[in-house]
Amino acid sequence: MTIQIRKGKRATEPQCLGSQRSLNSEDLLFPNQTGDSKAAVYFQLSNGRFRPPPAHRLIAHHIVDTIAPIFFRVSRTMWLPLRLTLLLLFLLLSPRALLRSGSAAVVSGEEEEFHEELLLKPLPDRKVLAHFHFHSIAPPSKSNGRHHHLFPKAISQLVLFPSSVPFAMWSDLDLILNFLFRLLNNCFSSSRKYDVFLIVFALIGVIVGEFLSFGQVQKFRVKEMELSFTQGRWNYERWGGFDPISSNNAKPPGVELWAVFDVPEDQVDAYWKNLTNSLSGLFCASINFLESSTMYSAPKWSFRITPGRLRYGTLPREAVCTENLTPWLKLLPCRDKAGLAALLDRPSIYKGFYHSQRLYLTSNASVPAETVSGISLEQTLTVVLQPNSPSSSSIHSGESNFQPSWSLSSIFGRKISGKCVLAQSSIVYLQLEKSIFSEQKDNMDNGPNSLASEGFAGGSGFEMSLDPDIVIEEENQSQHKGSSVLYGFWVEKYNESQPFDLGLKWKYPVFWSSRQAPLHASRFLMGSGNERGAIAILFKSANSADSSSGSRHVSDGCELQVDVFQVVPWYIKVYYHSLQIFVDDEAKPIGDFVHKIQVSPSKDKTSPGMMEMLLKLPCDVRSAALTLEFDKGFLHIDEYPPDANQGYDIPSAVISFPSFHSVMHLLSNDSIRKSPLLSRFQEKNRVQSYTEVLLVPLTTPDFSMPYNVITITCTVFALFFGSLLNVLRRRVGEEERYLKAGKKKGWLRVLLSRLLAKLRGKPMEEPDQPSSESAPLIGKKLVLKVILVAVLAVAWQFYST
Amino acid sequence: MPTANTEEENSKSELQKNHGGGGGFTRWAVVAVIFRLALIYFPGNLNLSSRPEVSTPLTSIRRLAEGYWLKQSSMSPYAGSMYHGSPLLLSVLGPLTVKSLVFVLADLISSILIRATGRKLQIAYRKSLKSLNLLNKSTDSGALSSGDIAALVYLWNPFTIVACVGLSTSPVENLFTILTLYGAATGLAPLAAFGWVMATHLSLYPAILIIPVILLLGYGPDAPPSKLFRSKEHGKVGDGKSSQEIIFSWRRVFHLLVWTSLWSVYVLVLCSISVKQHGSLQEMFQRTYGFILTVEDLSPNIGVLWYFFAEVFDFFRDFFLIVFHSNILFMILPLAIRLKHRPCFLAFVYIAISSMLKSYPSVGDSALYLGLLGLFLDELADMQFSFFLFCGYVGVSLLSPVMHNLWIWRGTGNANFYYATAMAYACFQIVLVVESVSSMLNHDRKLTKLSTSKLQK
């Protein structure tokens, strides 16, 4: 029976296409293919005025129109159970699913795209940066259904589907009603009474199914999301702090996740929780810890310029390893079997100094304008590796400053044997600083003028093993250092027999330095002991030349804007009133420099503390420091992690410079426009850097003590309670005697004392009689009682075992 | 510390009394104020304001400053979990630059009120003894002003000094508690109501003082047991004078209740005005009383609850919260029944118990009940273990910072060390309370015995 239904489904497709055509040809008599005029009437009613319904609804109507007759053909020939199963099966394939698959089959104008690129860049401190950039684009929202050719399905499910919820609900509902109406019509015509029950059953089933799918489809509604796994710390001083890679791809250690949602503000937290859980499963990481409200925050303006329903969370302690890389690679169409990803040899990339894998997802699905692409997924892997080249060091044994020569096979231990066949483009770039050439010109004075010929002709200080297919120069008006040259290599030219193995050999020692951010930010802790401390953020001017050139962006007042975004966990109880600013080692009033500050103080066990601050420092500032005092919190023993004495991490602060943008002005070229990596480099992004993660040791209680503490404390309480009550109810004999002598006894008391005496089997006590005499008697009784209890206990023990 | 200190002061003030009464007190009070100011303007940082013994989450001046900063930057002072005090305190203390003077002033006023209360109590005591014809017998040893001694004990108690110099808000809370007692002892119902409302508003625990205040206003100041007078009356038929003293004056109590409701409405209105912009009264109650009742902050203090709730299993937490808080409530009724003829002493016992079992105790709370202990010098003259207690208090107050230092700063000790001193401190407080109650009851017994023996003669 499933086969039959599938047949029916498949049979709809040409009809759907036909209906599309009929709509395009302005044929308003759209239901004429089935000859059912009631549907048309229904449309008229539901829309208020007659107008051609959208294409996907038309298609769905055709599905209904084709399936319903099949269903009834079957039902007339077979008996009831079969029909019930068929109906159930049909209901399971809910109308919405049919709708989606139908529409996906129809509108597939744009192809899904996949690009792979690799940027290699020698770093000033004899290391090599390798930056893998994989870009998948799913076509506009209209056509992405549940099926993708290249785009990872797991990621596409994170994103919202096009139509807003209530409309989708209603558009489906009228389909369902239409279907049921026809069902009813058919039944009454066939005059079978029990079919009414069937219809009621179907109605319930459809509604339930509709609600189920309503819950499933709009899963996370992520508008923009970035997830990064990082090990090691980006060295801003040596590897640069101004270029696009350091601003976009240098990430704090551990996991960082932020996401912008397309849901009402009050639902964002719920969606965030779902997202963290599913990402946790997807990447084998403990991202689900970000679910707790103590772990994430909602920055307003300092983290991203775009305001929105943003949530931000980090896990500084997360260890990143192959278990996180493998699921990340699985999202690539060729995995690591072919193309550039084949270079990713696990031992060699985890041997590096810095390793950051990142996933950046944007979706414009919710935007009604369909000019932009639907979902775009950017997967980058940035590694900083130390090329080991024993040959070069042995040749120039005296030169310790000689840049090491390297090749892809020496860094990664692998070669590229052709591109990933599914990729639109597969390019390897080599980025070199322009300052190298000028330096060589100064040193050698014999280089030809053209950079391009100088680069690979072998007349200059380095030599590439392969000729580049394209040379792109950075167009920089100011011509200060930091501009660079890119050599591009098409990987598609190479194959298994002739693998791509780019090598770079230095002929002369060269020196250059990467371009720095205007201020170098670092963060440290002050104070000792486990009771309190202070966090200090120190800004140091990178160097005078840079800051003076950067100041051109700013108006004549010459101010350097710095955004600080810092999240501290709740057990670090920051006193925001203790904020102090030291500019050039002098304490200054806060109002002079802090232009804007927004604080959301931490709530115990509920939310972390968040501070957003916009500083305006003078351009000629040499150093600036912020200090904030804090008290360390004390936690319940269950809240300590297993390695409690290691300490707690304060996540990195994000320092960004709103008036500086890391952008590469490349000479515009057709190949650049096609390359997602280069177009990403040409985007205007704020210069951003992350500070160190701080490790704060917290005091621990004695973890082995809970029972002792409970018993001892309760003993003290019992001591208090017991002894005080004892004092209060104690009456000394004299007083009693006085009471008996001085006052007449109440008859009740007399009766009571007589009764007591009777019970004890003793004559009524004389007041003068010392109480010590009765002690042995009580002792005797006590012994008897104890023996009785003991016998009982022994008997119990005996019989129970 | 209490009794031995008292004895010290006792002898001192006895000497001064010989030289001429109130002048001695004034001199010592002035010296105490100067001493405080000298400590406050001490050039080196004493770091007292961040000591766990001095500043609890409720009384810390740093948290108050943070709350004020939040309020100034147009946020609710209760945003985050820093500030847990009253919004009124924030409006009064927040803008002040010299907060320390307020605390010195509060201490001085407190001591003057204690002295006045002491006078009142002593007059009442003498009067009642006179009516029992026991005066010459009992007062030949205690012919000195216990009020002066109590006031000086309060002023010169190292705990009070530390709490004042460490800028915790407990001197202000203590002031309102003492104001309540003074108002009740002098029969000023509005004043007593004001003190009670403010003290309750500031730190919740003084709420239980309503019982001693009612008794104090109803029966008048402390007296020997009423049945003594009755039996005396019984013995001396036809003496109408003594029968006046045991009348419970409902009128005053009614006044008190009216004034209490007036003042509490007033305070609530003030609070709602001050929190109106950024929060609500509900938030205020959650952040102040809620924070006190659910022991949220587990930072170490001299009490016993922090470590208990840091260690106890989560599913028992609510149970133990109820048990520990009801421990204070459980003792209210038995004590009130047994000590109803001595409402002032009853108030002292309540204060001592609550400062021992409260969730965030500090030395400022101990300072209050140790000061009040001086008021009952005559009655508690033959208290047991006083030297032992004195040594215990001194020992604990020396050991506790050492253990704290070992644990928190040096990392060589562990939490149990500090917790042990907290337990020892709790035990000493328990012994003090139990012994003082017991000796007060014994004192009453002694009076009874004396009066009956007189009667029988």
Side-chain angles (χ1 to χ4, degrees), chain A residues 293-294 569-573 601-609 633-635 639, chain B residues 57 63 78-82 84 287 291 294-299 360:
Chain A
S293 64
T294 55
W570 67 265
Y571 36 79
I572 306 295
K573 299 177 176 179
S602 60
K603 273 187 188 149
D604 283 358
K605 297 171 193 183
T606 313
S607 67
F634 291 80
L635 312 179
E639 290 164 338
Chain B
R63 287 180 182 247
Y78 300 109
S81 35
M82 267 299 178
H84 299 285
R287 291 289 169 173
F291 180 76
T294 63
V295 188
E296 283 169 27
D297 193 304
L298 301 175
S299 53
Y360 311 100

mmCIF file of all heavy atoms in Angstrom, chain A residues 293-294 569-573 601-609 633-635 639, chain B residues 57 63 78-82 84 287 291 294-299 360:
data_model
loop_
_atom_site.group_PDB
_atom_site.id
_atom_site.type_symbol
_atom_site.label_atom_id
_atom_site.label_comp_id
_atom_site.label_asym_id
_atom_site.label_seq_id
_atom_site.Cartn_x
_atom_site.Cartn_y
_atom_site.Cartn_z
ATOM 1 N N SER A 293 21.103 28.980 32.752
ATOM 2 C CA SER A 293 21.062 30.445 32.624
ATOM 3 C C SER A 293 22.268 31.105 33.266
ATOM 4 O O SER A 293 22.488 32.290 33.076
ATOM 5 C CB SER A 293 19.786 30.981 33.251
ATOM 6 O OG SER A 293 19.796 30.702 34.623
ATOM 7 N N THR A 294 23.042 30.359 34.031
ATOM 8 C CA THR A 294 24.241 30.967 34.605
ATOM 9 C C THR A 294 25.372 31.047 33.589
ATOM 10 O O THR A 294 26.409 31.617 33.862
ATOM 11 C CB THR A 294 24.752 30.146 35.797
ATOM 12 O OG1 THR A 294 24.936 28.803 35.358
ATOM 13 C CG2 THR A 294 23.798 30.154 36.939
ATOM 14 N N PRO A 569 31.246 34.785 35.684
ATOM 15 C CA PRO A 569 30.303 33.870 36.326
ATOM 16 C C PRO A 569 29.816 34.417 37.660
ATOM 17 O O PRO A 569 30.470 35.284 38.247
ATOM 18 C CB PRO A 569 31.115 32.587 36.531
ATOM 19 C CG PRO A 569 32.486 32.857 36.090
ATOM 20 C CD PRO A 569 32.579 34.220 35.542
ATOM 21 N N TRP A 570 28.687 33.916 38.114
ATOM 22 C CA TRP A 570 28.053 34.536 39.282
ATOM 23 C C TRP A 570 28.876 34.397 40.544
ATOM 24 O O TRP A 570 28.759 35.206 41.461
ATOM 25 C CB TRP A 570 26.655 33.966 39.516
ATOM 26 C CG TRP A 570 26.610 32.531 39.923
ATOM 27 C CD1 TRP A 570 26.443 31.464 39.104
ATOM 28 C CD2 TRP A 570 26.729 32.003 41.241
ATOM 29 N NE1 TRP A 570 26.458 30.309 39.827
ATOM 30 C CE2 TRP A 570 26.638 30.611 41.147
ATOM 31 C CE3 TRP A 570 26.904 32.577 42.501
ATOM 32 C CZ2 TRP A 570 26.720 29.777 42.249
ATOM 33 C CZ3 TRP A 570 26.994 31.746 43.598
ATOM 34 C CH2 TRP A 570 26.901 30.357 43.459
ATOM 35 N N TYR A 571 29.717 33.369 40.624
ATOM 36 C CA TYR A 571 30.480 33.222 41.876
ATOM 37 C C TYR A 571 31.653 34.176 41.954
ATOM 38 O O TYR A 571 32.360 34.201 42.953
ATOM 39 C CB TYR A 571 30.931 31.771 42.075
ATOM 40 C CG TYR A 571 31.307 31.052 40.819
ATOM 41 C CD1 TYR A 571 32.531 31.244 40.215
ATOM 42 C CD2 TYR A 571 30.396 30.181 40.216
ATOM 43 C CE1 TYR A 571 32.854 30.590 39.050
ATOM 44 C CE2 TYR A 571 30.708 29.542 39.048
ATOM 45 C CZ TYR A 571 31.929 29.733 38.475
ATOM 46 O OH TYR A 571 32.247 29.089 37.305
ATOM 47 N N ILE A 572 31.853 34.943 40.904
ATOM 48 C CA ILE A 572 32.780 36.067 40.994
ATOM 49 C C ILE A 572 31.906 37.294 41.164
ATOM 50 O O ILE A 572 31.297 37.763 40.215
ATOM 51 C CB ILE A 572 33.625 36.191 39.705
ATOM 52 C CG1 ILE A 572 34.322 34.879 39.397
ATOM 53 C CG2 ILE A 572 34.609 37.323 39.794
ATOM 54 C CD1 ILE A 572 35.328 34.464 40.398
ATOM 55 N N LYS A 573 31.814 37.766 42.394
ATOM 56 C CA LYS A 573 30.848 38.842 42.672
ATOM 57 C C LYS A 573 31.529 40.183 42.508
ATOM 58 O O LYS A 573 32.214 40.666 43.392
ATOM 59 C CB LYS A 573 30.303 38.677 44.082
ATOM 60 C CG LYS A 573 29.591 37.350 44.238
ATOM 61 C CD LYS A 573 29.114 37.112 45.620
ATOM 62 C CE LYS A 573 28.345 35.813 45.653
ATOM 63 N NZ LYS A 573 27.847 35.483 46.960
ATOM 64 N N PRO A 601 24.260 43.038 36.689
ATOM 65 C CA PRO A 601 24.988 42.348 37.753
ATOM 66 C C PRO A 601 24.549 40.898 37.888
ATOM 67 O O PRO A 601 23.431 40.531 37.508
ATOM 68 C CB PRO A 601 24.650 43.162 38.998
ATOM 69 C CG PRO A 601 23.471 43.965 38.660
ATOM 70 C CD PRO A 601 23.404 44.101 37.200
ATOM 71 N N SER A 602 25.432 40.106 38.405
ATOM 72 C CA SER A 602 25.163 38.675 38.476
ATOM 73 C C SER A 602 24.168 38.374 39.582
ATOM 74 O O SER A 602 24.155 39.020 40.625
ATOM 75 C CB SER A 602 26.459 37.923 38.743
ATOM 76 O OG SER A 602 27.006 38.346 39.958
ATOM 77 N N LYS A 603 23.339 37.390 39.328
ATOM 78 C CA LYS A 603 22.420 36.915 40.360
ATOM 79 C C LYS A 603 22.879 35.548 40.789
ATOM 80 O O LYS A 603 23.191 34.709 39.939
ATOM 81 C CB LYS A 603 21.003 36.816 39.808
ATOM 82 C CG LYS A 603 20.271 38.107 39.916
ATOM 83 C CD LYS A 603 18.810 37.944 39.532
ATOM 84 C CE LYS A 603 18.171 39.303 39.480
ATOM 85 N NZ LYS A 603 17.109 39.405 38.517
ATOM 86 N N ASP A 604 22.889 35.319 42.080
ATOM 87 C CA ASP A 604 23.400 34.051 42.601
ATOM 88 C C ASP A 604 22.667 32.881 41.971
ATOM 89 O O ASP A 604 21.440 32.790 42.034
ATOM 90 C CB ASP A 604 23.222 34.004 44.119
ATOM 91 C CG ASP A 604 24.280 34.836 44.807
ATOM 92 O OD1 ASP A 604 25.134 35.383 44.093
ATOM 93 O OD2 ASP A 604 24.256 34.914 46.042
ATOM 94 N N LYS A 605 23.400 32.004 41.382
ATOM 95 C CA LYS A 605 22.889 30.761 40.815
ATOM 96 C C LYS A 605 21.836 30.982 39.739
ATOM 97 O O LYS A 605 21.074 30.088 39.407
ATOM 98 C CB LYS A 605 22.301 29.855 41.914
ATOM 99 C CG LYS A 605 23.383 29.457 42.876
ATOM 100 C CD LYS A 605 22.853 28.748 44.078
ATOM 101 C CE LYS A 605 23.959 28.687 45.108
ATOM 102 N NZ LYS A 605 23.635 27.973 46.286
ATOM 103 N N THR A 606 21.738 32.197 39.226
ATOM 104 C CA THR A 606 20.743 32.464 38.193
ATOM 105 C C THR A 606 21.362 33.000 36.913
ATOM 106 O O THR A 606 21.131 32.451 35.848
ATOM 107 C CB THR A 606 19.702 33.475 38.702
ATOM 108 O OG1 THR A 606 19.309 33.066 39.990
ATOM 109 C CG2 THR A 606 18.516 33.526 37.804
ATOM 110 N N SER A 607 22.129 34.047 37.036
ATOM 111 C CA SER A 607 22.649 34.627 35.802
ATOM 112 C C SER A 607 24.052 35.176 36.037
ATOM 113 O O SER A 607 24.382 35.579 37.147
ATOM 114 C CB SER A 607 21.725 35.732 35.311
ATOM 115 O OG SER A 607 21.762 36.794 36.218
ATOM 116 N N PRO A 608 24.861 35.179 35.010
ATOM 117 C CA PRO A 608 26.202 35.721 35.175
ATOM 118 C C PRO A 608 26.179 37.243 35.122
ATOM 119 O O PRO A 608 25.199 37.842 34.691
ATOM 120 C CB PRO A 608 26.949 35.147 33.965
ATOM 121 C CG PRO A 608 25.905 35.024 32.930
ATOM 122 C CD PRO A 608 24.629 34.698 33.648
ATOM 123 N N GLY A 609 27.254 37.834 35.574
ATOM 124 C CA GLY A 609 27.370 39.280 35.490
ATOM 125 C C GLY A 609 27.913 39.670 34.130
ATOM 126 O O GLY A 609 28.781 38.996 33.582
ATOM 127 N N GLY A 633 32.827 33.887 45.552
ATOM 128 C CA GLY A 633 31.662 33.268 46.167
ATOM 129 C C GLY A 633 31.996 31.918 46.768
ATOM 130 O O GLY A 633 33.059 31.346 46.524
ATOM 131 N N PHE A 634 31.086 31.435 47.574
ATOM 132 C CA PHE A 634 31.236 30.105 48.156
ATOM 133 C C PHE A 634 30.076 29.258 47.671
ATOM 134 O O PHE A 634 28.931 29.686 47.733
ATOM 135 C CB PHE A 634 31.249 30.200 49.670
ATOM 136 C CG PHE A 634 32.483 30.864 50.188
ATOM 137 C CD1 PHE A 634 32.593 32.238 50.183
ATOM 138 C CD2 PHE A 634 33.547 30.117 50.634
ATOM 139 C CE1 PHE A 634 33.738 32.860 50.631
ATOM 140 C CE2 PHE A 634 34.695 30.728 51.081
ATOM 141 C CZ PHE A 634 34.800 32.105 51.088
ATOM 142 N N LEU A 635 30.397 28.100 47.190
ATOM 143 C CA LEU A 635 29.379 27.280 46.544
ATOM 144 C C LEU A 635 28.961 26.130 47.439
ATOM 145 O O LEU A 635 29.651 25.770 48.392
ATOM 146 C CB LEU A 635 29.919 26.705 45.233
ATOM 147 C CG LEU A 635 30.615 27.657 44.280
ATOM 148 C CD1 LEU A 635 31.087 26.900 43.067
ATOM 149 C CD2 LEU A 635 29.669 28.733 43.873
ATOM 150 N N GLU A 639 27.928 21.928 43.725
ATOM 151 C CA GLU A 639 28.185 22.813 42.586
ATOM 152 C C GLU A 639 29.645 22.817 42.174
ATOM 153 O O GLU A 639 29.986 23.377 41.144
ATOM 154 C CB GLU A 639 27.758 24.236 42.935
ATOM 155 C CG GLU A 639 26.259 24.388 43.040
ATOM 156 C CD GLU A 639 25.845 25.651 43.745
ATOM 157 O OE1 GLU A 639 26.643 26.216 44.502
ATOM 158 O OE2 GLU A 639 24.704 26.063 43.551
ATOM 159 N N PRO B 57 26.651 39.584 54.386
ATOM 160 C CA PRO B 57 25.991 40.090 53.179
ATOM 161 C C PRO B 57 24.915 41.125 53.476
ATOM 162 O O PRO B 57 24.588 41.936 52.626
ATOM 163 C CB PRO B 57 25.373 38.834 52.573
ATOM 164 C CG PRO B 57 26.228 37.732 53.031
ATOM 165 C CD PRO B 57 26.744 38.130 54.374
ATOM 166 N N ARG B 63 28.653 46.297 49.938
ATOM 167 C CA ARG B 63 27.447 45.927 49.199
ATOM 168 C C ARG B 63 26.472 47.088 49.144
ATOM 169 O O ARG B 63 25.775 47.289 48.144
ATOM 170 C CB ARG B 63 26.790 44.716 49.852
ATOM 171 C CG ARG B 63 27.572 43.456 49.597
ATOM 172 C CD ARG B 63 26.898 42.283 50.245
ATOM 173 N NE ARG B 63 27.657 41.066 50.055
ATOM 174 C CZ ARG B 63 27.245 40.035 49.333
ATOM 175 N NH1 ARG B 63 26.092 40.070 48.734
ATOM 176 N NH2 ARG B 63 27.992 38.969 49.218
ATOM 177 N N TYR B 78 18.445 46.169 43.887
ATOM 178 C CA TYR B 78 18.441 44.730 44.146
ATOM 179 C C TYR B 78 18.759 43.917 42.899
ATOM 180 O O TYR B 78 18.690 42.693 42.924
ATOM 181 C CB TYR B 78 17.088 44.301 44.704
ATOM 182 C CG TYR B 78 16.752 44.993 46.006
ATOM 183 C CD1 TYR B 78 15.762 45.952 46.063
ATOM 184 C CD2 TYR B 78 17.462 44.695 47.154
ATOM 185 C CE1 TYR B 78 15.469 46.594 47.249
ATOM 186 C CE2 TYR B 78 17.176 45.332 48.339
ATOM 187 C CZ TYR B 78 16.176 46.284 48.382
ATOM 188 O OH TYR B 78 15.906 46.908 49.560
ATOM 189 N N ALA B 79 19.087 44.606 41.807
ATOM 190 C CA ALA B 79 19.523 43.867 40.617
ATOM 191 C C ALA B 79 20.805 43.143 40.973
ATOM 192 O O ALA B 79 21.660 43.676 41.670
ATOM 193 C CB ALA B 79 19.756 44.837 39.470
ATOM 194 N N GLY B 80 20.926 41.948 40.499
ATOM 195 C CA GLY B 80 22.069 41.166 40.933
ATOM 196 C C GLY B 80 21.814 40.717 42.354
ATOM 197 O O GLY B 80 20.739 40.924 42.898
ATOM 198 N N SER B 81 22.777 40.090 42.981
ATOM 199 C CA SER B 81 22.525 39.717 44.366
ATOM 200 C C SER B 81 23.579 40.312 45.267
ATOM 201 O O SER B 81 24.227 39.605 46.007
ATOM 202 C CB SER B 81 22.429 38.211 44.510
ATOM 203 O OG SER B 81 23.296 37.588 43.632
ATOM 204 N N MET B 82 23.753 41.591 45.152
ATOM 205 C CA MET B 82 24.733 42.246 46.010
ATOM 206 C C MET B 82 24.078 42.835 47.252
ATOM 207 O O MET B 82 24.443 42.517 48.367
ATOM 208 C CB MET B 82 25.413 43.361 45.218
ATOM 209 C CG MET B 82 26.683 42.905 44.554
ATOM 210 S SD MET B 82 27.865 42.348 45.761
ATOM 211 C CE MET B 82 29.179 41.851 44.698
ATOM 212 N N HIS B 84 21.226 43.574 50.015
ATOM 213 C CA HIS B 84 20.059 42.923 50.609
ATOM 214 C C HIS B 84 19.503 43.735 51.755
ATOM 215 O O HIS B 84 18.778 43.209 52.592
ATOM 216 C CB HIS B 84 20.432 41.527 51.098
ATOM 217 C CG HIS B 84 20.904 40.643 50.000
ATOM 218 N ND1 HIS B 84 20.059 40.082 49.079
ATOM 219 C CD2 HIS B 84 22.128 40.254 49.653
ATOM 220 C CE1 HIS B 84 20.754 39.374 48.219
ATOM 221 N NE2 HIS B 84 22.013 39.462 48.541
ATOM 222 N N ARG B 287 14.221 40.208 48.265
ATOM 223 C CA ARG B 287 15.660 40.398 48.340
ATOM 224 C C ARG B 287 16.150 40.598 49.759
ATOM 225 O O ARG B 287 17.333 40.417 50.023
ATOM 226 C CB ARG B 287 16.056 41.609 47.499
ATOM 227 C CG ARG B 287 15.885 41.356 46.043
ATOM 228 C CD ARG B 287 16.932 40.409 45.609
ATOM 229 N NE ARG B 287 16.675 39.936 44.277
ATOM 230 C CZ ARG B 287 17.532 39.188 43.623
ATOM 231 N NH1 ARG B 287 18.662 38.838 44.187
ATOM 232 N NH2 ARG B 287 17.250 38.763 42.432
ATOM 233 N N PHE B 291 16.034 36.660 51.346
ATOM 234 C CA PHE B 291 17.463 36.338 51.410
ATOM 235 C C PHE B 291 17.854 35.882 52.811
ATOM 236 O O PHE B 291 18.701 35.007 52.983
ATOM 237 C CB PHE B 291 18.255 37.589 51.019
ATOM 238 C CG PHE B 291 19.731 37.409 51.027
ATOM 239 C CD1 PHE B 291 20.363 36.733 49.999
ATOM 240 C CD2 PHE B 291 20.503 37.909 52.055
ATOM 241 C CE1 PHE B 291 21.731 36.569 50.004
ATOM 242 C CE2 PHE B 291 21.866 37.760 52.066
ATOM 243 C CZ PHE B 291 22.480 37.082 51.033
ATOM 244 N N THR B 294 15.852 32.128 53.267
ATOM 245 C CA THR B 294 16.493 31.053 52.509
ATOM 246 C C THR B 294 17.960 31.398 52.463
ATOM 247 O O THR B 294 18.354 32.319 51.768
ATOM 248 C CB THR B 294 15.971 31.001 51.074
ATOM 249 O OG1 THR B 294 16.334 32.224 50.448
ATOM 250 C CG2 THR B 294 14.498 30.831 51.008
ATOM 251 N N VAL B 295 18.754 30.725 53.218
ATOM 252 C CA VAL B 295 20.155 31.113 53.398
ATOM 253 C C VAL B 295 20.875 30.921 52.060
ATOM 254 O O VAL B 295 21.419 29.861 51.778
ATOM 255 C CB VAL B 295 20.793 30.255 54.504
ATOM 256 C CG1 VAL B 295 22.168 30.760 54.839
ATOM 257 C CG2 VAL B 295 19.920 30.251 55.719
ATOM 258 N N GLU B 296 20.848 31.978 51.237
ATOM 259 C CA GLU B 296 21.377 31.836 49.882
ATOM 260 C C GLU B 296 22.882 31.987 49.835
ATOM 261 O O GLU B 296 23.561 31.287 49.113
ATOM 262 C CB GLU B 296 20.747 32.892 48.969
ATOM 263 C CG GLU B 296 19.332 32.570 48.548
ATOM 264 C CD GLU B 296 18.677 33.756 47.878
ATOM 265 O OE1 GLU B 296 19.386 34.578 47.295
ATOM 266 O OE2 GLU B 296 17.450 33.853 47.964
ATOM 267 N N ASP B 297 23.368 32.938 50.607
ATOM 268 C CA ASP B 297 24.795 33.231 50.544
ATOM 269 C C ASP B 297 25.523 32.302 51.516
ATOM 270 O O ASP B 297 25.207 32.253 52.701
ATOM 271 C CB ASP B 297 25.025 34.682 50.935
ATOM 272 C CG ASP B 297 26.422 35.136 50.583
ATOM 273 O OD1 ASP B 297 27.386 34.503 51.038
ATOM 274 O OD2 ASP B 297 26.548 36.106 49.845
ATOM 275 N N LEU B 298 26.490 31.577 50.985
ATOM 276 C CA LEU B 298 27.163 30.582 51.811
ATOM 277 C C LEU B 298 28.569 31.031 52.196
ATOM 278 O O LEU B 298 29.419 30.216 52.524
ATOM 279 C CB LEU B 298 27.243 29.249 51.061
ATOM 280 C CG LEU B 298 25.888 28.670 50.657
ATOM 281 C CD1 LEU B 298 26.081 27.424 49.827
ATOM 282 C CD2 LEU B 298 25.067 28.336 51.881
ATOM 283 N N SER B 299 28.811 32.324 52.133
ATOM 284 C CA SER B 299 30.153 32.770 52.516
ATOM 285 C C SER B 299 30.311 32.628 54.020
ATOM 286 O O SER B 299 29.354 32.782 54.780
ATOM 287 C CB SER B 299 30.362 34.207 52.071
ATOM 288 O OG SER B 299 29.323 35.004 52.539
ATOM 289 N N TYR B 360 22.819 35.189 59.118
ATOM 290 C CA TYR B 360 24.094 35.866 58.850
ATOM 291 C C TYR B 360 24.507 36.657 60.078
ATOM 292 O O TYR B 360 24.354 37.873 60.112
ATOM 293 C CB TYR B 360 23.983 36.795 57.643
ATOM 294 C CG TYR B 360 23.358 36.170 56.429
ATOM 295 C CD1 TYR B 360 22.042 36.397 56.107
ATOM 296 C CD2 TYR B 360 24.105 35.333 55.610
ATOM 297 C CE1 TYR B 360 21.466 35.817 55.004
ATOM 298 C CE2 TYR B 360 23.543 34.747 54.506
ATOM 299 C CZ TYR B 360 22.213 34.994 54.209
ATOM 300 O OH TYR B 360 21.642 34.424 53.111
#
